[in-house]
Amino acid sequence: MSIIRTFVVASFASTFIAGCQSMGQSTAPALDSDNTSYKRMVTQGRARTIVENLYRCPVKVGNHRISAVGQITADDGTVITVPAETALQKGLGPKSQDLYNECNQIIPKNSAEVSTAGVPVIEIDSDGEVITGYIVADNYYEMWVNGKLVSVDNTPYTPFNSSIVKFKVKRPYALAFLLVDWDEHLGLGMELFPISGPKQNPWYPGDGGLIAKFSVGTMTDSSWKAQSFYIAPLADPKNVVERGNVHDTPNLGGRTHPFAKIPDCQDKCYAVHYPIPANWQSLRFNDTNWPRAWEFTDEEIGVTNLPAYTRYPELFAGARWIWSQNLVLDNVVIARKMVR
């Protein structure tokens, strides 16, 4: 027992000293004031299509869906882009590098066949460390580091793909993801499910999800922050309840399929939106009041047969799928993590 006790004390001391040294080497900057607005905007019905399709798969695949974009006017007169205003629509980059992508015919059989040699390094700090990350998002992601765009999902809807990213940065730094669960019924948060088969449901609320792991040990889990900005479909906007900084839907049966209640309002459904704050990508952005991310299982996300993810368990080991409170109804989410 004395040997074990000595080892534990020594280990604690070493960890404490290392932590102090780390804190001394890199001090987090002061945060800006909280500029998040929690004032809701309500829309009803289908949006007007402004972009027919952001991406077309160059080869024939089994599950390719159109990634259209629309606009709809809220009750306060605000014109809202749905499902979201994205870097992809604006033509910003760099585009994501493929881990697995049927459209680009990059489909390694396992982790041993994955190579990161050709992945470009996006430089944030010239004197930083090079970090490699692996990402799966349902459906679209864009990733920012300290306010610099480092990866834009090249396949916004389906088929489901996964990505590799490399960036060079020094600590502390902020990882920030814009995440979009794309909708086919624009402004209503619904899609056709399944894409084929006898039991199609053309008014199905899809679900989202993000999992990511980085070479320095950072990975998605409940220590991240995750805030929702577009919640639909809703039979009544009163189903969204603001509890301080949390946009909750406590009376709709559940937060995952098959427990979440599916409204029958179809093209008369409502959506609740919140303004996306300025500079959400930056190191100084104040997410102190944001809720923590929720963790979900592979089964809850519905990815147990998704080769873009399941072929590479070693690359995602220990990471958890995350989203905001409601996996089904929350369609646009920002997730953030400060790495010190």
Side-chain angles (χ1 to χ4, degrees), residues 152-321:
V152 176
D153 198 342
N154 61 29
T155 309
Y157 201 174
T158 60
F160 292 102
N161 61 313
S162 50
S163 306
I164 307 172
V165 65
K166 282 185 180 179
F167 55 97
K168 189 175 185 180
V169 69
K170 62 183 180 181
R171 303 187 186 211
Y173 58 90
L175 301 173
F177 282 81
L178 175 68
L179 305 166
V180 182
D181 177 28
W182 222 273
D183 48 6
E184 289 171 289
H185 298 298
L186 292 172
L188 296 169
M190 288 184 278
E191 62 188 64
L192 173 66
F193 183 86
I195 194 67
S196 60
K199 295 183 179 180
Q200 289 186 345
N201 178 0
W203 301 97
Y204 184 80
D207 50 17
L210 168 72
I211 191 167
K213 185 174 181 180
F214 300 91
S215 55
V216 291
T218 305
M219 63 189 77
T220 49
D221 58 22
S222 60
S223 68
W224 287 55
K225 296 296 186 77
Q227 183 60 284
S228 57
F229 293 91
Y230 167 28
I231 304 171
L234 300 166
D236 188 329
K238 293 179 181 177
N239 287 326
V240 179
V241 178
E242 286 95 6
R243 302 184 187 281
N245 58 315
V246 176
H247 311 151
D248 200 4
T249 46
N251 302 314
L252 293 180
R255 305 180 189 279
T256 62
H257 289 304
F259 308 106
K261 290 181 180 178
I262 299 176
D264 60 4
C265 43
Q266 298 184 357
D267 60 1
K268 299 187 186 316
C269 286
Y270 291 89
V272 169
H273 310 258
Y274 298 89
I276 292 180
N279 301 321
W280 61 266
Q281 314 95 326
S282 77
L283 178 63
R284 292 174 55 96
F285 180 78
N286 192 338
D287 61 18
T288 305
N289 294 323
W290 281 19
R292 284 199 171 198
W294 283 57
E295 296 183 359
F296 297 92
T297 66
D298 290 0
E299 290 76 18
E300 288 172 325
I301 299 289
V303 292
T304 55
N305 294 313
L306 191 70
Y309 167 64
T310 57
R311 287 188 180 186
Y312 318 110
E314 300 85 357
L315 304 184
F316 295 98
R320 301 299 302 270
W321 286 94

Side-chain angles (χ1 to χ4, degrees), residues 121-130 145-146 148 167-173 283:
V121 177
I122 307 303
E123 184 177 290
I124 291 92
D125 298 307
S126 59
D127 56 345
E129 60 182 321
V130 175
V145 180
N146 288 358
K148 183 166 184 175
F167 55 97
K168 189 175 185 180
V169 69
K170 62 183 180 181
R171 303 187 186 211
Y173 58 90
L283 178 63

Side-chain angles (χ1 to χ4, degrees), residues 105-124:
Q105 296 294 282
I106 297 176
I107 49 174
K109 294 179 181 178
N110 51 48
S111 300
E113 289 191 359
V114 174
S115 173
T116 64
V119 178
V121 177
I122 307 303
E123 184 177 290
I124 291 92

